[in-house]
Amino acid sequence: IVIIATYPSSHLPLLKECLAAGKHVLCEKPISTSLQEGEEFVRLVKENPQCKVLVGHILRHNRSYQQIAEMIQSDVIGHPIIFRMVQNHHTMNWNRYLSLIRNTSPIVDCGVHYIDVIEWFTGSRVQDVTAAGMRTEESVPENRCNYGIMTLKLEDGSVGYYEAGWSNTLASDNLKEFAGPKGRIRLIYRKDRQMNQEEGDLIELYHYPEQQYETINLQSDRKPTGAQFDHLIRMIETDCPAVPSIDQVLHCFKVTLKAEQLAVGKQAEKR
């Protein structure tokens, strides 16, 4: 097994070497930095079924997200759903973030996770995406944004937004809220709890019209690398499918690339 955890621009050439050597692969997301390379990545995975390839959409293996998926899929809050999702980083090591931004923007690097999440939760697909972005630092390349926000509409009528930024001045924020006609679910990570961090993540469920709150404390690793690796081993040993599938990975990548294109384009228009 080879784990590819390098910058996205090197994922495709490294995958080629791994497949040529007959190695199974766990590859960090996003799969590449361009649509052409991303499609070639997926084609190679499909043409080499003897080598198992899992792309690291690690939230699929996170117990808190699995719990929320079960709740939404069992219609606890009803449908359609409003998604409010934010993943902003207040950077304390700007050069580290800048190196990654030169390779891929946060709206792609982080966004692929959350496109996957909302489609997983609903069983529906993104139908339409709009986006806007901004360079808040002069050192950010003109073809990248270090801040971006995209609004999404799904085929089942669900709507929402995803916001991602890496900046010296933004405040860190991890809003994850899902609201439907019968209630609302909010996820608060253990590290973001003001009290009772030892109880793990907090899932807050609001029931309507009962107007009652229910809280669930869940021990969950935010980045369960062990569980993700175990799934790759199951793929090798039992031939079970990748989670998410390689087609789902490509679809999420395409949506974020479109959002990035829109975000950079609108920023250029302003200049």
Side-chain angles (χ1 to χ4, degrees), residues 84-156:
R84 302 174 62 225
M85 303 176 295
V86 178
Q87 188 77 35
N88 289 333
H89 293 193
H90 174 60
T91 62
M92 300 301 289
N93 184 344
W94 175 243
N95 286 333
R96 175 180 169 228
Y97 280 90
L98 181 59
S99 293
L100 183 54
I101 290 169
R102 288 179 176 136
N103 223 252
T104 186
S105 65
I107 204 169
V108 175
D109 183 67
C110 300
V112 290
H113 275 312
Y114 295 98
I115 300 298
D116 183 45
V117 163
I118 63 173
E119 295 193 342
W120 168 31
F121 284 2
T122 61
S124 184
R125 277 208 162 194
V126 171
Q127 184 180 56
D128 187 47
V129 58
T130 60
M134 185 174 174
R135 294 165 62 243
T136 68
E137 309 284 342
E138 286 297 323
S139 51
V140 174
E142 291 194 0
N143 65 336
R144 299 280 184 224
C145 296
N146 66 300
Y147 171 83
I149 185 167
M150 54 180 157
T151 59
L152 306 153
K153 182 176 182 180
L154 277 68
E155 291 171 350
D156 72 346

Side-chain angles (χ1 to χ4, degrees), residues 257-271:
L257 285 181
K258 181 178 179 182
E260 180 185 50
Q261 184 180 29
L262 291 168
V264 172
K266 288 180 180 178
Q267 179 184 250
E269 287 174 12
K270 290 177 184 177
R271 292 199 297 272

